[in-house]
């Protein structure tokens, strides 16, 4: 039987059906991921579901292949205005993050061709409970953390997976 979960923003206006298991579950501690999350939280007055993990920091993320998701909500309003805003770190930033305009929840940590990395804290199981990975959560980019001594184990100096 295929597992289905739902990612939803805090107010529930934006929903995505996620089919199957995420590729992995990780917390990224690099300046880019944490800095972008902090920027979004400040811009939206911390109104959405937080993406930064409360114990040890790091951005809570779950990558899914594009083929594993289906948007259940319209991403633009009736007047054509987008319900998502996008952020890059710096002029040459490669990682594109998104957050909802309705409640300020960061939806994605980054988007790559065929791969979308969702805010794990917005993922719910079919019974409505919060998603917790059965696999060990990797703490990555410890070397690039604002304070590497606070990154919990198991940790990796960079990242063990090449996208």
């Amino acid at each position: 039987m295929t597992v289905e979960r739902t990612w939803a923003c805090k107010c529930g206006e934006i929903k995505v059906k996620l089919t199957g298991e995420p590729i992995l579950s990780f917390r990224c501690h690099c300046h880019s991921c944490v800095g972008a999350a902090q920027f979004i939280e400040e811009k939206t007055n911390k109104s959405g579901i937080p993406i930064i993990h409360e114990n040890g920091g790091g951005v809570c993320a779950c990558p899914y292949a594009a083929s594993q998701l289906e948007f259940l909500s319209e991403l633009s309003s009736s007047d054509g205005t987008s319900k998502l805003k996008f952020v890059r770190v710096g002029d040459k930033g490669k990682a594109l993050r998104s957050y909802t305009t309705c409640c300020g929840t960061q939806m994605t940590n980054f988007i790559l061709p065929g791969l979308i990395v969702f805010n794990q804290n917005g993922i719910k199981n079919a019974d409505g409970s919060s998603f917790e990975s059965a696999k060990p959560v990797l703490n990555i980019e410890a070397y690039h953390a604002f304070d590497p001594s606070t990154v919990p184990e198991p940790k990796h100096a960079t990242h063990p997976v090449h996208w």
Side-chain angles (χ1 to χ4, degrees), residues 32-89:
S32 179
C33 289
V34 174
Q38 290 171 336
F39 172 81
I40 292 169
E41 284 184 351
E42 288 174 19
K43 189 167 185 62
T44 62
N45 296 317
K46 298 184 180 183
S47 58
I49 297 171
I51 192 170
I52 298 175
H53 194 269
E54 58 194 25
N55 297 327
V59 170
C60 301
C62 282
Y64 279 85
S67 61
Q68 290 179 273
L69 59 101
E70 175 187 345
F71 284 91
L72 301 175
S73 308
E74 292 294 325
L75 297 180
S76 56
S77 56
S78 58
D79 66 0
T81 307
S82 176
K83 292 182 182 179
L84 294 176
K85 290 203 175 194
F86 297 89
V87 174
R88 286 186 202 274
V89 175

Side-chain angles (χ1 to χ4, degrees), residues 54-127:
E54 58 194 25
N55 297 327
V59 170
C60 301
C62 282
Y64 279 85
S67 61
Q68 290 179 273
L69 59 101
E70 175 187 345
F71 284 91
L72 301 175
S73 308
E74 292 294 325
L75 297 180
S76 56
S77 56
S78 58
D79 66 0
T81 307
S82 176
K83 292 182 182 179
L84 294 176
K85 290 203 175 194
F86 297 89
V87 174
R88 286 186 202 274
V89 175
D91 294 335
K92 297 180 182 179
K94 294 179 183 176
L96 188 63
R97 280 91 174 184
S98 65
Y99 65 96
T100 63
T101 58
C102 50
C103 64
T105 298
Q106 185 172 342
M107 184 168 90
T108 61
N109 188 44
F110 55 88
I111 303 168
L112 297 168
L115 187 72
I116 300 177
V117 182
F118 282 90
N119 173 353
Q120 179 180 326
N121 296 331
I123 300 173
K124 301 288 185 199
N125 296 314
D127 66 2

